[in-house]
Structure formats: structure tokens, C-alpha cells
Amino acid sequence: MKVALFPGSFDPITEGHVEIIERGLSLFDKIIVAIGVNANKKYMFSLEDRMAMLSATFGKENRIEVDYYQSLTVEYAKTRNIPFILRGLRAPSDLEYEQPIAYVNQHLNPEVEIVCLLSKPETAHISSTVVREIIRYNGNLQKLVPMSVIEYILKKKLQF
Ligand code: ADP
């Protein structure tokens, strides 16, 4: 079975992430969407909220598993025996950011293969950063994040 890890902060998950994950499902049998917890990073959503939003988004898809880890991404991939790391590229700046990380990851774990998919033009403008800004000012999140995220924020009455 071909398994890939899709790591990220998912603060929160966006339609950009969903689009890459859905296309990833045509390449891999299973995708593990996992939140890499970085103790030095400030997040808008707690780990619990981000995990809940991932579960609400992918709960019904049995080829997707959600998880989190508090180690290096390659270490997590190694312990779980995951041979592929999936990433999404929106623009050349994403590649500039991804390339050195990919080289270090392959140095640390030569068995891991990093697979990057180019985002669709329709979702290339979406980032969690822009989404967080819109949330702060109570803007319209439709088509930027999955409905499950909008419903979660409303249901939990999250205030920012
Ligand atoms: P990180 O903190 O690792 O950058 P993110 O949650 O921001 O985590 O992103 C996870 C992955 O999703 C990264 O590979 C990122 O480039 C990709 N990604 C984010 N937004 C989009 C988008 N709109 N289209 C395609 N890929 C995206």
C-alpha cells in the first residue's frame, strides 16, 4: 500500500490543502494528514481545535487519517514507516522554502521521497495566513476553507 504523509500546521486547514490532499488520493492509497507541533510557534487555533477541524473535514474518508506529532517530520515518517511526504506548491516562493527542507529531510532519511504537487490556479491564492486575517475581521470564509471549518468556528463560538 502506497502511503504518504501530508504535514503542516493547518492553522486552519484551507481549501488549498484539501485540493492537494484530494489530488494526492489519486497517487496514493492512503494519506496521513498530520499536524507538526512546533513548541516555539504561536498558533491561532489550539492543537485540539486544529485536530477537530481535520477530523470534521476528512472523517468520512477512510483513505485519510489525521494525526499530530512533536518531532521532526522525517522522524515521524520513519517511525510510522511512511515512504512519501506530500507537499503543495503555490508559487516559486513555496519552492524556495521547500527545497532546502526537502534536502535536509532526505539527508536525515534517505528513504523518504518528497512529492510536490502544483496547486490549481483556483486555490493558489489561499493561505492559512490570509484565512486567519479574514477570521480576525469576521470576513467571509466561503470557498477559502471547507464548510466543516466554518461550522466548527460557529459551533464552538470561537472568538479571536
Ligand atoms: P507549514 O507550516 O508546513 O507551511 P501549512 O499548513 O501552511 O504548513 O501548509 C502545509 C502544506 O500545504 C505546504 O506544503 C503548503 O505549501 C501547502 N499549501 C498551503 N496552502 C496551499 C494552497 N493554497 N495550495 C497548495 N498547497 C498549499
mmCIF file of all heavy atoms in Angstrom, residues 102-147:
data_model
loop_
_atom_site.group_PDB
_atom_site.id
_atom_site.type_symbol
_atom_site.label_atom_id
_atom_site.label_comp_id
_atom_site.label_asym_id
_atom_site.label_seq_id
_atom_site.Cartn_x
_atom_site.Cartn_y
_atom_site.Cartn_z
ATOM 1 N N ALA A 102 13.509 19.952 1.970
ATOM 2 C CA ALA A 102 13.470 18.636 1.323
ATOM 3 C C ALA A 102 14.861 18.007 1.332
ATOM 4 O O ALA A 102 15.015 16.814 1.616
ATOM 5 C CB ALA A 102 12.946 18.769 -0.097
ATOM 6 N N TYR A 103 15.899 18.814 1.041
ATOM 7 C CA TYR A 103 17.259 18.265 1.025
ATOM 8 C C TYR A 103 17.676 17.785 2.411
ATOM 9 O O TYR A 103 18.278 16.726 2.564
ATOM 10 C CB TYR A 103 18.254 19.309 0.493
ATOM 11 C CG TYR A 103 18.114 19.579 -0.992
ATOM 12 C CD1 TYR A 103 18.530 20.789 -1.535
ATOM 13 C CD2 TYR A 103 17.574 18.617 -1.845
ATOM 14 C CE1 TYR A 103 18.395 21.040 -2.902
ATOM 15 C CE2 TYR A 103 17.439 18.871 -3.206
ATOM 16 C CZ TYR A 103 17.849 20.078 -3.720
ATOM 17 O OH TYR A 103 17.718 20.318 -5.060
ATOM 18 N N VAL A 104 17.353 18.591 3.427
ATOM 19 C CA VAL A 104 17.699 18.191 4.802
ATOM 20 C C VAL A 104 16.930 16.920 5.177
ATOM 21 O O VAL A 104 17.488 15.974 5.743
ATOM 22 C CB VAL A 104 17.401 19.338 5.810
ATOM 23 C CG1 VAL A 104 17.520 18.838 7.247
ATOM 24 C CG2 VAL A 104 18.339 20.499 5.581
ATOM 25 N N ASN A 105 15.650 16.883 4.810
ATOM 26 C CA ASN A 105 14.845 15.705 5.131
ATOM 27 C C ASN A 105 15.404 14.457 4.458
ATOM 28 O O ASN A 105 15.464 13.388 5.060
ATOM 29 C CB ASN A 105 13.388 15.916 4.720
ATOM 30 C CG ASN A 105 12.658 16.797 5.719
ATOM 31 O OD1 ASN A 105 13.125 17.000 6.841
ATOM 32 N ND2 ASN A 105 11.521 17.335 5.314
ATOM 33 N N GLN A 106 15.849 14.607 3.199
ATOM 34 C CA GLN A 106 16.395 13.440 2.502
ATOM 35 C C GLN A 106 17.759 13.045 3.058
ATOM 36 O O GLN A 106 18.128 11.879 3.032
ATOM 37 C CB GLN A 106 16.429 13.682 0.994
ATOM 38 C CG GLN A 106 15.086 13.253 0.419
ATOM 39 C CD GLN A 106 14.897 13.581 -1.032
ATOM 40 O OE1 GLN A 106 15.495 14.513 -1.548
ATOM 41 N NE2 GLN A 106 14.031 12.826 -1.696
ATOM 42 N N HIS A 107 18.478 14.046 3.596
ATOM 43 C CA HIS A 107 19.757 13.756 4.253
ATOM 44 C C HIS A 107 19.496 12.947 5.533
ATOM 45 O O HIS A 107 20.172 11.960 5.816
ATOM 46 C CB HIS A 107 20.471 15.075 4.579
ATOM 47 C CG HIS A 107 21.635 14.933 5.477
ATOM 48 N ND1 HIS A 107 22.868 14.521 5.027
ATOM 49 C CD2 HIS A 107 21.760 15.125 6.820
ATOM 50 C CE1 HIS A 107 23.699 14.478 6.060
ATOM 51 N NE2 HIS A 107 23.050 14.841 7.146
ATOM 52 N N LEU A 108 18.485 13.372 6.281
ATOM 53 C CA LEU A 108 18.173 12.705 7.548
ATOM 54 C C LEU A 108 17.551 11.331 7.335
ATOM 55 O O LEU A 108 17.746 10.416 8.115
ATOM 56 C CB LEU A 108 17.216 13.575 8.384
ATOM 57 C CG LEU A 108 17.770 14.903 8.896
ATOM 58 C CD1 LEU A 108 16.671 15.728 9.531
ATOM 59 C CD2 LEU A 108 18.891 14.670 9.900
ATOM 60 N N ASN A 109 16.780 11.213 6.278
ATOM 61 C CA ASN A 109 16.102 9.940 5.992
ATOM 62 C C ASN A 109 16.109 9.702 4.479
ATOM 63 O O ASN A 109 15.163 10.065 3.781
ATOM 64 C CB ASN A 109 14.667 9.986 6.544
ATOM 65 C CG ASN A 109 13.920 8.694 6.270
ATOM 66 O OD1 ASN A 109 14.468 7.762 5.677
ATOM 67 N ND2 ASN A 109 12.666 8.641 6.701
ATOM 68 N N PRO A 110 17.210 9.104 3.966
ATOM 69 C CA PRO A 110 17.342 8.940 2.512
ATOM 70 C C PRO A 110 16.237 8.092 1.895
ATOM 71 O O PRO A 110 16.051 8.114 0.689
ATOM 72 C CB PRO A 110 18.703 8.246 2.358
ATOM 73 C CG PRO A 110 19.408 8.428 3.653
ATOM 74 C CD PRO A 110 18.357 8.571 4.697
ATOM 75 N N GLU A 111 15.516 7.362 2.745
ATOM 76 C CA GLU A 111 14.464 6.509 2.187
ATOM 77 C C GLU A 111 13.190 7.274 1.840
ATOM 78 O O GLU A 111 12.335 6.770 1.116
ATOM 79 C CB GLU A 111 14.118 5.397 3.180
ATOM 80 C CG GLU A 111 14.892 4.136 2.877
ATOM 81 C CD GLU A 111 15.326 3.420 4.119
ATOM 82 O OE1 GLU A 111 14.477 3.156 4.970
ATOM 83 O OE2 GLU A 111 16.534 3.145 4.219
ATOM 84 N N VAL A 112 13.075 8.480 2.384
ATOM 85 C CA VAL A 112 11.824 9.213 2.164
ATOM 86 C C VAL A 112 11.868 9.945 0.818
ATOM 87 O O VAL A 112 12.916 10.456 0.405
ATOM 88 C CB VAL A 112 11.539 10.175 3.338
ATOM 89 C CG1 VAL A 112 12.258 11.483 3.201
ATOM 90 C CG2 VAL A 112 10.055 10.402 3.521
ATOM 91 N N GLU A 113 10.764 9.925 0.112
ATOM 92 C CA GLU A 113 10.665 10.642 -1.172
ATOM 93 C C GLU A 113 9.679 11.796 -0.994
ATOM 94 O O GLU A 113 8.582 11.599 -0.476
ATOM 95 C CB GLU A 113 10.156 9.664 -2.243
ATOM 96 C CG GLU A 113 10.352 10.115 -3.662
ATOM 97 C CD GLU A 113 11.815 10.283 -4.060
ATOM 98 O OE1 GLU A 113 12.517 9.275 -4.214
ATOM 99 O OE2 GLU A 113 12.236 11.439 -4.211
ATOM 100 N N ILE A 114 10.112 13.006 -1.415
ATOM 101 C CA ILE A 114 9.228 14.164 -1.255
ATOM 102 C C ILE A 114 8.534 14.437 -2.579
ATOM 103 O O ILE A 114 9.189 14.594 -3.620
ATOM 104 C CB ILE A 114 10.013 15.393 -0.761
ATOM 105 C CG1 ILE A 114 10.429 15.149 0.700
ATOM 106 C CG2 ILE A 114 9.160 16.664 -0.795
ATOM 107 C CD1 ILE A 114 11.845 15.167 0.967
ATOM 108 N N VAL A 115 7.215 14.451 -2.541
ATOM 109 C CA VAL A 115 6.419 14.633 -3.757
ATOM 110 C C VAL A 115 5.672 15.959 -3.639
ATOM 111 O O VAL A 115 4.933 16.184 -2.689
ATOM 112 C CB VAL A 115 5.390 13.480 -3.907
ATOM 113 C CG1 VAL A 115 4.528 13.673 -5.137
ATOM 114 C CG2 VAL A 115 6.102 12.129 -3.959
ATOM 115 N N CYS A 116 5.945 16.867 -4.606
ATOM 116 C CA CYS A 116 5.278 18.176 -4.568
ATOM 117 C C CYS A 116 4.270 18.277 -5.705
ATOM 118 O O CYS A 116 4.588 17.953 -6.852
ATOM 119 C CB CYS A 116 6.292 19.303 -4.720
ATOM 120 S SG CYS A 116 7.435 19.413 -3.347
ATOM 121 N N LEU A 117 3.083 18.726 -5.387
ATOM 122 C CA LEU A 117 2.065 18.967 -6.410
ATOM 123 C C LEU A 117 1.865 20.466 -6.552
ATOM 124 O O LEU A 117 1.820 21.190 -5.555
ATOM 125 C CB LEU A 117 0.730 18.333 -6.006
ATOM 126 C CG LEU A 117 0.629 16.813 -6.018
ATOM 127 C CD1 LEU A 117 -0.780 16.390 -5.622
ATOM 128 C CD2 LEU A 117 0.969 16.255 -7.391
ATOM 129 N N LEU A 118 1.752 20.925 -7.792
ATOM 130 C CA LEU A 118 1.461 22.346 -8.020
ATOM 131 C C LEU A 118 0.005 22.583 -7.719
ATOM 132 O O LEU A 118 -0.859 21.814 -8.159
ATOM 133 C CB LEU A 118 1.722 22.711 -9.480
ATOM 134 C CG LEU A 118 3.159 22.718 -9.975
ATOM 135 C CD1 LEU A 118 3.190 23.193 -11.418
ATOM 136 C CD2 LEU A 118 4.025 23.629 -9.113
ATOM 137 N N SER A 119 -0.280 23.660 -6.999
ATOM 138 C CA SER A 119 -1.694 23.939 -6.707
ATOM 139 C C SER A 119 -2.399 24.359 -7.987
ATOM 140 O O SER A 119 -1.772 24.814 -8.948
ATOM 141 C CB SER A 119 -1.811 25.032 -5.655
ATOM 142 O OG SER A 119 -1.265 26.208 -6.146
ATOM 143 N N LYS A 120 -3.710 24.213 -7.972
ATOM 144 C CA LYS A 120 -4.533 24.693 -9.088
ATOM 145 C C LYS A 120 -4.589 26.218 -9.008
ATOM 146 O O LYS A 120 -4.591 26.770 -7.899
ATOM 147 C CB LYS A 120 -5.953 24.122 -8.945
ATOM 148 C CG LYS A 120 -6.059 22.634 -9.239
ATOM 149 C CD LYS A 120 -6.557 22.430 -10.657
ATOM 150 C CE LYS A 120 -6.205 21.073 -11.208
ATOM 151 N NZ LYS A 120 -7.159 20.040 -10.997
ATOM 152 N N PRO A 121 -4.675 26.913 -10.156
ATOM 153 C CA PRO A 121 -4.746 28.383 -10.086
ATOM 154 C C PRO A 121 -5.906 28.871 -9.212
ATOM 155 O O PRO A 121 -5.801 29.894 -8.552
ATOM 156 C CB PRO A 121 -4.972 28.805 -11.550
ATOM 157 C CG PRO A 121 -4.692 27.610 -12.382
ATOM 158 C CD PRO A 121 -4.707 26.389 -11.521
ATOM 159 N N GLU A 122 -6.978 28.085 -9.167
ATOM 160 C CA GLU A 122 -8.162 28.486 -8.388
ATOM 161 C C GLU A 122 -7.902 28.562 -6.881
ATOM 162 O O GLU A 122 -8.620 29.251 -6.156
ATOM 163 C CB GLU A 122 -9.324 27.489 -8.597
ATOM 164 C CG GLU A 122 -9.822 27.370 -10.016
ATOM 165 C CD GLU A 122 -9.064 26.325 -10.840
ATOM 166 O OE1 GLU A 122 -7.819 26.251 -10.732
ATOM 167 O OE2 GLU A 122 -9.723 25.606 -11.601
ATOM 168 N N THR A 123 -6.888 27.810 -6.409
ATOM 169 C CA THR A 123 -6.659 27.804 -4.961
ATOM 170 C C THR A 123 -5.267 28.331 -4.584
ATOM 171 O O THR A 123 -4.924 28.378 -3.404
ATOM 172 C CB THR A 123 -6.811 26.366 -4.383
ATOM 173 O OG1 THR A 123 -6.037 25.479 -5.192
ATOM 174 C CG2 THR A 123 -8.261 25.914 -4.349
ATOM 175 N N ALA A 124 -4.506 28.758 -5.599
ATOM 176 C CA ALA A 124 -3.116 29.158 -5.338
ATOM 177 C C ALA A 124 -3.015 30.408 -4.457
ATOM 178 O O ALA A 124 -1.969 30.662 -3.860
ATOM 179 C CB ALA A 124 -2.382 29.380 -6.664
ATOM 180 N N HIS A 125 -4.086 31.183 -4.379
ATOM 181 C CA HIS A 125 -4.031 32.417 -3.578
ATOM 182 C C HIS A 125 -4.380 32.171 -2.108
ATOM 183 O O HIS A 125 -4.316 33.080 -1.288
ATOM 184 C CB HIS A 125 -5.013 33.447 -4.163
ATOM 185 C CG HIS A 125 -6.424 32.952 -4.147
ATOM 186 N ND1 HIS A 125 -6.865 31.931 -4.969
ATOM 187 C CD2 HIS A 125 -7.493 33.304 -3.391
ATOM 188 C CE1 HIS A 125 -8.150 31.693 -4.726
ATOM 189 N NE2 HIS A 125 -8.545 32.515 -3.775
ATOM 190 N N ILE A 126 -4.777 30.937 -1.802
ATOM 191 C CA ILE A 126 -5.261 30.668 -0.438
ATOM 192 C C ILE A 126 -4.110 30.267 0.474
ATOM 193 O O ILE A 126 -3.309 29.403 0.139
ATOM 194 C CB ILE A 126 -6.318 29.536 -0.441
ATOM 195 C CG1 ILE A 126 -7.461 29.877 -1.403
ATOM 196 C CG2 ILE A 126 -6.853 29.303 0.961
ATOM 197 C CD1 ILE A 126 -8.470 28.743 -1.580
ATOM 198 N N SER A 127 -4.043 30.921 1.623
ATOM 199 C CA SER A 127 -3.061 30.513 2.634
ATOM 200 C C SER A 127 -3.738 30.582 3.995
ATOM 201 O O SER A 127 -4.691 31.335 4.196
ATOM 202 C CB SER A 127 -1.845 31.444 2.620
ATOM 203 O OG SER A 127 -2.227 32.733 3.060
ATOM 204 N N SER A 128 -3.221 29.825 4.939
ATOM 205 C CA SER A 128 -3.773 29.876 6.298
ATOM 206 C C SER A 128 -3.591 31.287 6.867
ATOM 207 O O SER A 128 -4.430 31.763 7.634
ATOM 208 C CB SER A 128 -3.080 28.851 7.200
ATOM 209 O OG SER A 128 -3.388 27.544 6.788
ATOM 210 N N THR A 129 -2.504 31.962 6.472
ATOM 211 C CA THR A 129 -2.249 33.320 6.975
ATOM 212 C C THR A 129 -3.365 34.269 6.562
ATOM 213 O O THR A 129 -3.897 35.025 7.391
ATOM 214 C CB THR A 129 -0.892 33.847 6.415
ATOM 215 O OG1 THR A 129 0.094 32.852 6.660
ATOM 216 C CG2 THR A 129 -0.490 35.152 7.042
ATOM 217 N N VAL A 130 -3.747 34.220 5.280
ATOM 218 C CA VAL A 130 -4.829 35.084 4.785
ATOM 219 C C VAL A 130 -6.144 34.706 5.475
ATOM 220 O O VAL A 130 -6.915 35.579 5.904
ATOM 221 C CB VAL A 130 -4.944 34.935 3.241
ATOM 222 C CG1 VAL A 130 -6.285 35.413 2.739
ATOM 223 C CG2 VAL A 130 -3.820 35.712 2.565
ATOM 224 N N VAL A 131 -6.372 33.416 5.626
ATOM 225 C CA VAL A 131 -7.605 32.952 6.273
ATOM 226 C C VAL A 131 -7.679 33.467 7.716
ATOM 227 O O VAL A 131 -8.725 33.949 8.168
ATOM 228 C CB VAL A 131 -7.698 31.402 6.218
ATOM 229 C CG1 VAL A 131 -8.749 30.871 7.177
ATOM 230 C CG2 VAL A 131 -7.986 30.945 4.792
ATOM 231 N N ARG A 132 -6.545 33.427 8.432
ATOM 232 C CA ARG A 132 -6.551 33.905 9.824
ATOM 233 C C ARG A 132 -6.885 35.392 9.887
ATOM 234 O O ARG A 132 -7.615 35.850 10.768
ATOM 235 C CB ARG A 132 -5.184 33.648 10.488
ATOM 236 C CG ARG A 132 -4.921 32.197 10.793
ATOM 237 C CD ARG A 132 -3.759 32.033 11.758
ATOM 238 N NE ARG A 132 -2.493 32.516 11.222
ATOM 239 C CZ ARG A 132 -1.658 31.788 10.473
ATOM 240 N NH1 ARG A 132 -1.963 30.537 10.173
ATOM 241 N NH2 ARG A 132 -0.520 32.294 10.034
ATOM 242 N N GLU A 133 -6.369 36.145 8.924
ATOM 243 C CA GLU A 133 -6.639 37.580 8.860
ATOM 244 C C GLU A 133 -8.141 37.821 8.654
ATOM 245 O O GLU A 133 -8.734 38.687 9.286
ATOM 246 C CB GLU A 133 -5.836 38.163 7.687
ATOM 247 C CG GLU A 133 -5.388 39.581 7.813
ATOM 248 C CD GLU A 133 -4.632 39.898 9.098
ATOM 249 O OE1 GLU A 133 -4.068 38.987 9.731
ATOM 250 O OE2 GLU A 133 -4.642 41.078 9.462
ATOM 251 N N ILE A 134 -8.739 37.037 7.773
ATOM 252 C CA ILE A 134 -10.174 37.176 7.497
ATOM 253 C C ILE A 134 -10.990 36.800 8.738
ATOM 254 O O ILE A 134 -11.976 37.466 9.071
ATOM 255 C CB ILE A 134 -10.563 36.319 6.268
ATOM 256 C CG1 ILE A 134 -9.860 36.888 5.024
ATOM 257 C CG2 ILE A 134 -12.083 36.282 6.062
ATOM 258 C CD1 ILE A 134 -9.985 36.045 3.774
ATOM 259 N N ILE A 135 -10.554 35.772 9.447
ATOM 260 C CA ILE A 135 -11.263 35.360 10.670
ATOM 261 C C ILE A 135 -11.215 36.491 11.708
ATOM 262 O O ILE A 135 -12.213 36.821 12.344
ATOM 263 C CB ILE A 135 -10.647 34.057 11.251
ATOM 264 C CG1 ILE A 135 -10.935 32.878 10.317
ATOM 265 C CG2 ILE A 135 -11.195 33.777 12.653
ATOM 266 C CD1 ILE A 135 -10.224 31.587 10.674
ATOM 267 N N ARG A 136 -10.037 37.117 11.841
ATOM 268 C CA ARG A 136 -9.880 38.201 12.826
ATOM 269 C C ARG A 136 -10.857 39.346 12.574
ATOM 270 O O ARG A 136 -11.313 40.003 13.493
ATOM 271 C CB ARG A 136 -8.455 38.757 12.793
ATOM 272 C CG ARG A 136 -7.526 37.954 13.618
ATOM 273 C CD ARG A 136 -6.193 38.649 13.874
ATOM 274 N NE ARG A 136 -5.259 37.648 14.353
ATOM 275 C CZ ARG A 136 -4.357 37.013 13.598
ATOM 276 N NH1 ARG A 136 -4.231 37.325 12.328
ATOM 277 N NH2 ARG A 136 -3.591 36.099 14.116
ATOM 278 N N TYR A 137 -11.159 39.578 11.290
ATOM 279 C CA TYR A 137 -12.052 40.695 10.946
ATOM 280 C C TYR A 137 -13.439 40.213 10.539
ATOM 281 O O TYR A 137 -14.191 40.965 9.915
ATOM 282 C CB TYR A 137 -11.409 41.550 9.847
ATOM 283 C CG TYR A 137 -10.169 42.257 10.361
ATOM 284 C CD1 TYR A 137 -8.904 41.791 10.042
ATOM 285 C CD2 TYR A 137 -10.281 43.364 11.206
ATOM 286 C CE1 TYR A 137 -7.769 42.410 10.531
ATOM 287 C CE2 TYR A 137 -9.151 43.986 11.704
ATOM 288 C CZ TYR A 137 -7.898 43.505 11.371
ATOM 289 O OH TYR A 137 -6.780 44.117 11.879
ATOM 290 N N ASN A 138 -13.769 38.968 10.926
ATOM 291 C CA ASN A 138 -15.100 38.406 10.657
ATOM 292 C C ASN A 138 -15.517 38.462 9.200
ATOM 293 O O ASN A 138 -16.684 38.724 8.879
ATOM 294 C CB ASN A 138 -16.158 39.147 11.494
ATOM 295 C CG ASN A 138 -16.119 38.702 12.929
ATOM 296 O OD1 ASN A 138 -16.008 37.501 13.191
ATOM 297 N ND2 ASN A 138 -16.153 39.658 13.830
ATOM 298 N N GLY A 139 -14.570 38.239 8.306
ATOM 299 C CA GLY A 139 -14.878 38.268 6.873
ATOM 300 C C GLY A 139 -15.481 36.953 6.396
ATOM 301 O O GLY A 139 -15.637 36.000 7.168
ATOM 302 N N ASN A 140 -15.803 36.920 5.108
ATOM 303 C CA ASN A 140 -16.462 35.756 4.514
ATOM 304 C C ASN A 140 -15.421 34.679 4.153
ATOM 305 O O ASN A 140 -14.542 34.906 3.330
ATOM 306 C CB ASN A 140 -17.216 36.225 3.259
ATOM 307 C CG ASN A 140 -18.032 35.114 2.642
ATOM 308 O OD1 ASN A 140 -17.949 33.953 3.064
ATOM 309 N ND2 ASN A 140 -18.824 35.467 1.652
ATOM 310 N N LEU A 141 -15.599 33.502 4.742
ATOM 311 C CA LEU A 141 -14.616 32.425 4.550
ATOM 312 C C LEU A 141 -15.013 31.426 3.472
ATOM 313 O O LEU A 141 -14.271 30.482 3.202
ATOM 314 C CB LEU A 141 -14.443 31.663 5.866
ATOM 315 C CG LEU A 141 -13.697 32.391 6.981
ATOM 316 C CD1 LEU A 141 -13.786 31.594 8.262
ATOM 317 C CD2 LEU A 141 -12.240 32.600 6.589
ATOM 318 N N GLN A 142 -16.191 31.659 2.851
ATOM 319 C CA GLN A 142 -16.669 30.680 1.868
ATOM 320 C C GLN A 142 -15.684 30.518 0.727
ATOM 321 O O GLN A 142 -15.122 31.490 0.239
ATOM 322 C CB GLN A 142 -18.016 31.141 1.332
ATOM 323 C CG GLN A 142 -19.029 31.151 2.442
ATOM 324 C CD GLN A 142 -20.333 30.516 2.053
ATOM 325 O OE1 GLN A 142 -20.536 30.187 0.906
ATOM 326 N NE2 GLN A 142 -21.214 30.362 3.010
ATOM 327 N N LYS A 143 -15.478 29.284 0.322
ATOM 328 C CA LYS A 143 -14.573 28.873 -0.754
ATOM 329 C C LYS A 143 -13.095 28.980 -0.368
ATOM 330 O O LYS A 143 -12.214 28.631 -1.140
ATOM 331 C CB LYS A 143 -14.826 29.653 -2.043
ATOM 332 C CG LYS A 143 -16.219 29.421 -2.592
ATOM 333 C CD LYS A 143 -16.238 29.661 -4.078
ATOM 334 C CE LYS A 143 -17.571 29.312 -4.666
ATOM 335 N NZ LYS A 143 -18.160 30.407 -5.415
ATOM 336 N N LEU A 144 -12.805 29.499 0.820
ATOM 337 C CA LEU A 144 -11.412 29.569 1.275
ATOM 338 C C LEU A 144 -11.093 28.411 2.208
ATOM 339 O O LEU A 144 -9.975 27.901 2.220
ATOM 340 C CB LEU A 144 -11.139 30.898 1.993
ATOM 341 C CG LEU A 144 -11.272 32.158 1.133
ATOM 342 C CD1 LEU A 144 -11.121 33.402 1.994
ATOM 343 C CD2 LEU A 144 -10.217 32.172 0.026
ATOM 344 N N VAL A 145 -12.091 28.033 3.006
ATOM 345 C CA VAL A 145 -11.917 26.885 3.906
ATOM 346 C C VAL A 145 -13.106 25.947 3.700
ATOM 347 O O VAL A 145 -14.164 26.375 3.235
ATOM 348 C CB VAL A 145 -11.855 27.320 5.403
ATOM 349 C CG1 VAL A 145 -10.661 28.206 5.666
ATOM 350 C CG2 VAL A 145 -13.149 28.004 5.838
ATOM 351 N N PRO A 146 -12.947 24.656 4.065
ATOM 352 C CA PRO A 146 -14.089 23.748 3.932
ATOM 353 C C PRO A 146 -15.240 24.188 4.852
ATOM 354 O O PRO A 146 -14.995 24.829 5.875
ATOM 355 C CB PRO A 146 -13.536 22.393 4.385
ATOM 356 C CG PRO A 146 -12.071 22.545 4.530
ATOM 357 C CD PRO A 146 -11.744 23.994 4.570
ATOM 358 N N MET A 147 -16.457 23.833 4.495
ATOM 359 C CA MET A 147 -17.636 24.181 5.303
ATOM 360 C C MET A 147 -17.465 23.697 6.749
ATOM 361 O O MET A 147 -17.909 24.336 7.694
ATOM 362 C CB MET A 147 -18.906 23.532 4.705
ATOM 363 C CG MET A 147 -19.634 24.408 3.695
ATOM 364 S SD MET A 147 -19.854 26.122 4.219
ATOM 365 C CE MET A 147 -21.103 25.917 5.490
#
